[in-house]
Amino acid sequence: MPHRFFMNDPDDFVTEAAEGLALTNPDLVVQRTPLFIKRREVPAGKVALVSGGGTGHEPLHAGFVGDGMLDAAVPGAVFASPTAIQVAEATKSADAGAGVLHIIKNYTGDVLNFNIAAELAADENVEVESVLVDDDVATDIEGSRVGRRGTGSTLIVEKICGAAARRGDSLSQVADLGRRVVAHSRSIALALDACTHPITGKKSFELDPDEVEFGVGIHGERGRGRIPFASADELVEKLLDSLVPAVGADSGDDVIAFVNGLGATQLTEQYVVTGGVHNSLQKRGINVARTLTGSYVTALDMSGVSITLTRVDQEFLELWDAPVTTSGLRW
Amino acid sequence: MPHRFFMNDPDDFVTEAAEGLALTNPDLVVQRTPLFIKRREVPAGKVALVSGGGTGHEPLHAGFVGDGMLDAAVPGAVFASPTAIQVAEATKSADAGAGVLHIIKNYTGDVLNFNIAAELAADENVEVESVLVDDDVATDIEGSRVGRRGTGSTLIVEKICGAAARRGDSLSQVADLGRRVVAHSRSIALALDACTHPITGKKSFELDPDEVEFGVGIHGERGRGRIPFASADELVEKLLDSLVPAVGADSGDDVIAFVNGLGATQLTEQYVVTGGVHNSLQKRGINVARTLTGSYVTALDMSGVSITLTRVDQEFLELWDAPVTTSGLRW
């Protein structure tokens, strides 16, 4: 049976989810029309961070609104970009006098709408810079006009830029830092089962029991190809064989390793994958400086994992370790 | 296609998952034989808290080991109790001179093995008390010999007792407090789809698209019965109609509301349910003092939610709000 959803009127799904989130976290406020989620107070003079994108990737982005990470998040419909008006209103509302950084996953609709929003905000004297996250190795195709998709690294960018904004960096400094994090980060994913669209009830693809979808995206897009189902360690090895050269990690380098569940994959499974990632990176001479494991950048109920590696220096690590207080990420 | 698992040798699944968890959290150590997960340091003179049970409910219990909650967790095989030897070794290892509290979910195997473990530990002069969690309203059947199952309230007991132990309460004080939390807590769950056993690959039951399993447990047990699939708000109403009288919540009472995803149910859906719970409790005159939403007490890949209510006084709330630093719960 395809995944069935806890839902009332499908038209209210995204708004009701935002309001439910705010009920769990009194530091958040939901503006309904146009819809966005914001911190109750953005500290005056702090660069504000705004991100967003289609619903279906929770806790990304609204779960990362809070002290040390995002100041506002703008959810679109399921797997659809928010509108430019939504993003513009969130941007103006989040601005605390030091400008706003847009963190944008590289999808045509998101890029278009965030760019229009930046112009609308500029018309009202809000300074906006943007960081485009394009980390998905599976879409690194020579001659591609659209470039790589933005996936798991978005969390790393939001965390590190959030810490920089919190310590008082200027808009251009936070933006430069974000672009450096993007340049040092890559991700790749595989799925053991597709996701189910909550409105249509349709699975995005069908797999045979002896195959897995390799290089899958976070919107149920088909992957780069299919490979045989195998042990966790063998699947991890295949993922890292693509990922490690793509991120440019050499023996002796330090990385943040982020093992991410895509939705229906359980924590136990994610931890088994984490062990495989550590073992394989150790064999490659790469030092895992920090590890994050959990379902943070999901694709509805997809069964699968993504792995993100970020090559880090001391500054990246200090910003990564800095306190964060959000519903989805806290330390 | 049934859920497929990221796994190596099935015999190593639970141990590899424990080791993966410890890789993400340097404050944890894994002892392999017999298997348990422990804090690197239990503060001297603090009452130690030990819990455990079958694998498949993560982050419960191992994800709740850390400052302000558990000191050790003992995972069994999937949906199977840990052995008495595992629990006894964890108990002796966690003891920091002030005795050990066992927090036990009410299942025959768990009760048996924790009780034997308590005797084994007592033989080595470790004082042990226990709190039995039996909160599942669906199993509240007159004349039942086994009593109610232990489910979502376990998290509440572990959090509140963890905070009490941290502030220096004695073993008997922490145990009494835990029993009071149990007495003030009830849970109920429903499933939109069954879970898949990772070893057999079998679903625990089959549902038609127009029905849901009401009063389901966290081991794929069948529920109390089947009711028609309906909107989130209507399903919430049915759950609360059972839960509110069972927990004895009256108009004017304060509660902690814990909306828990059982595995494959997404955060957005859980937040929609959270909104429904708030609205319905408000209509009933019950004040939701705190809300927790997330997949904390899971049943493998089950699609469904449980709702736990705990009637609270000021002391419960202060202990609930106290700092906690674990992989699974942090504030």
Side-chain angles (χ1 to χ4, degrees):
Chain A
M1 183 166 54
H3 189 96
R4 291 181 296 169
F5 289 76
F6 290 94
M7 194 183 286
N8 296 304
D9 184 336
D11 287 344
D12 299 332
F13 183 60
V14 174
T15 302
E16 287 183 356
E19 290 175 339
L21 166 65
L23 289 171
T24 70
N25 186 342
D27 296 336
L28 301 182
V29 287
V30 175
Q31 179 173 312
R32 283 189 76 117
T33 319
L35 180 66
F36 60 88
I37 295 102
K38 213 189 82 170
R39 292 173 70 185
R40 200 169 285 282
E41 306 254 2
V42 182
K46 187 187 88 71
V47 171
L49 269 58
V50 175
S51 192
T55 288
H57 310 302
E58 290 65 29
L60 184 87
H61 299 271
F64 301 146
V65 176
D67 188 28
M69 215 160 164
L70 299 179
D71 297 285
V74 195
V78 173
F79 290 171
S81 170
T83 67
I85 302 293
Q86 277 179 277
V87 178
E89 290 303 314
T91 301
K92 290 186 281 178
S93 173
D95 182 38
V100 178
L101 182 69
H102 284 172
I103 298 173
I104 313 170
K105 301 198 297 303
N106 188 26
Y107 297 99
T108 311
D110 289 331
V111 172
L112 182 73
N113 285 302
F114 273 84
N115 285 348
I116 297 171
E119 289 175 24
L120 294 171
D123 288 347
E124 302 195 25
N125 298 315
V126 176
E127 197 184 355
V128 179
E129 288 221 37
S130 67
V131 171
L132 188 68
V133 182
D134 60 345
D135 59 325
D136 186 353
V137 170
T139 47
D140 200 341
I141 295 155
E142 212 175 291
S144 158
R145 274 199 324 133
V146 292
R148 290 183 299 266
R149 293 181 294 227
T151 60
S153 305
T154 314
L155 176 148
I156 316 263
V157 174
E158 291 177 357
K159 173 65 186 79
I160 290 179
C161 288
R166 189 176 187 269
R167 75 176 173 190
D169 284 16
S170 72
L171 179 58
S172 66
Q173 287 172 320
V174 181
D176 285 345
L177 177 73
R179 291 176 199 126
R180 276 209 295 134
V181 177
V182 170
H184 286 73
S185 301
R186 292 290 185 279
S187 300
I188 191 157
L190 66 76
L192 304 185
D193 202 356
C195 57
T196 313
H197 195 286
I199 311 299
T200 65
K202 295 252 185 288
K203 286 232 172 222
S204 57
F205 51 78
E206 293 292 338
L207 283 168
D208 285 338
D210 61 351
E211 59 186 10
V212 306
E213 191 80 26
F214 185 85
V216 76
I218 55 173
H219 298 92
E221 310 96 321
R222 292 288 306 274
R224 192 192 263 186
R226 290 180 177 187
I227 61 172
F229 183 51
S231 72
D233 283 351
E234 290 169 289
L235 293 175
V236 163
E237 207 60 24
K238 287 231 162 37
L239 289 167
L240 291 179
D241 283 347
S242 284
L243 184 58
V244 168
V247 77
D250 290 320
S251 183
D253 282 350
D254 290 324
V255 298
I256 296 171
F258 168 31
V259 174
N260 174 57
L262 290 172
T265 292
Q266 296 150 45
L267 266 175
T268 40
E269 300 176 72
Q270 295 173 33
Y271 287 134
V272 170
V273 168
T274 301
V277 168
H278 268 252
N279 290 337
S280 180
L281 290 176
Q282 195 171 30
K283 278 186 209 139
R284 296 165 199 252
I286 297 162
N287 175 45
V288 182
R290 299 291 184 278
T291 308
L292 179 70
T293 299
S295 298
Y296 293 106
V297 182
T298 59
L300 296 170
D301 62 330
M302 185 175 285
S303 172
V305 294
S306 67
I307 304 174
T308 298
L309 295 179
T310 300
R311 282 189 296 123
V312 292
D313 56 18
Q314 200 50 42
E315 186 188 16
F316 280 16
L317 282 183
E318 276 165 25
L319 293 165
W320 178 257
D321 289 343
V324 57
T325 313
T326 70
S327 298
L329 202 68
R330 229 174 239 257
W331 57 64
Chain B
M1 182 165 54
H3 188 96
R4 291 182 296 167
F5 288 76
F6 289 95
M7 194 183 285
N8 296 304
D9 184 336
D11 287 344
D12 299 332
F13 184 60
V14 173
T15 302
E16 287 183 357
E19 288 175 340
L21 166 65
L23 289 171
T24 69
N25 186 343
D27 296 335
L28 300 182
V29 286
V30 175
Q31 178 173 312
R32 282 189 76 118
T33 318
L35 180 66
F36 60 88
I37 296 103
K38 212 190 84 173
R39 291 174 70 184
R40 200 169 284 281
E41 308 253 3
V42 182
K46 188 188 86 71
V47 170
L49 269 58
V50 175
S51 192
T55 288
H57 310 302
E58 290 64 29
L60 185 85
H61 300 270
F64 301 145
V65 176
D67 188 29
M69 214 160 164
L70 298 179
D71 297 286
V74 195
V78 173
F79 290 170
S81 170
T83 67
I85 302 292
Q86 278 179 277
V87 179
E89 290 303 314
T91 301
K92 290 186 280 178
S93 173
D95 181 38
V100 177
L101 182 70
H102 284 172
I103 298 172
I104 312 170
K105 301 197 296 304
N106 188 27
Y107 298 99
T108 310
D110 289 331
V111 172
L112 182 72
N113 285 301
F114 273 84
N115 285 349
I116 297 171
E119 289 174 23
L120 294 171
D123 289 346
E124 304 197 23
N125 299 313
V126 176
E127 197 184 354
V128 179
E129 288 220 36
S130 68
V131 171
L132 187 69
V133 183
D134 60 345
D135 59 325
D136 186 353
V137 169
T139 47
D140 202 341
I141 296 154
E142 213 175 291
S144 159
R145 274 198 324 134
V146 293
R148 290 182 299 266
R149 294 181 293 228
T151 61
S153 306
T154 316
L155 176 147
I156 316 263
V157 175
E158 291 178 357
K159 172 66 186 78
I160 289 180
C161 288
R166 189 175 186 270
R167 75 177 173 188
D169 284 17
S170 71
L171 179 58
S172 66
Q173 287 172 320
V174 181
D176 285 347
L177 178 72
R179 292 176 198 124
R180 275 210 294 134
V181 177
V182 170
H184 286 74
S185 301
R186 291 292 185 278
S187 301
I188 190 155
L190 66 77
L192 304 186
D193 202 357
C195 57
T196 313
H197 196 285
I199 312 298
T200 65
K202 296 250 185 289
K203 285 235 172 218
S204 57
F205 51 78
E206 293 291 337
L207 283 168
D208 285 337
D210 60 350
E211 58 186 9
V212 307
E213 191 79 27
F214 186 85
V216 76
I218 57 173
H219 297 92
E221 309 98 322
R222 291 287 307 275
R224 190 192 265 188
R226 290 182 176 185
I227 61 171
F229 184 51
S231 73
D233 284 350
E234 289 167 290
L235 294 175
V236 163
E237 207 60 24
K238 287 230 163 38
L239 289 167
L240 291 180
D241 283 346
S242 285
L243 184 57
V244 168
V247 78
D250 291 320
S251 184
D253 283 350
D254 289 325
V255 298
I256 296 172
F258 168 31
V259 174
N260 175 57
L262 289 173
T265 293
Q266 296 149 46
L267 267 175
T268 38
E269 300 176 73
Q270 295 173 33
Y271 287 133
V272 170
V273 169
T274 302
V277 168
H278 268 252
N279 290 337
S280 179
L281 290 177
Q282 195 171 31
K283 278 185 210 137
R284 296 165 199 250
I286 297 163
N287 174 45
V288 182
R290 298 293 183 277
T291 308
L292 179 70
T293 299
S295 297
Y296 293 106
V297 181
T298 59
L300 295 170
D301 63 329
M302 187 176 284
S303 172
V305 294
S306 66
I307 304 174
T308 299
L309 296 180
T310 300
R311 283 188 296 123
V312 292
D313 56 19
Q314 199 51 41
E315 186 188 17
F316 280 15
L317 282 182
E318 276 166 23
L319 293 165
W320 178 255
D321 289 343
V324 57
T325 312
T326 70
S327 299
L329 202 68
R330 228 174 241 257
W331 56 65

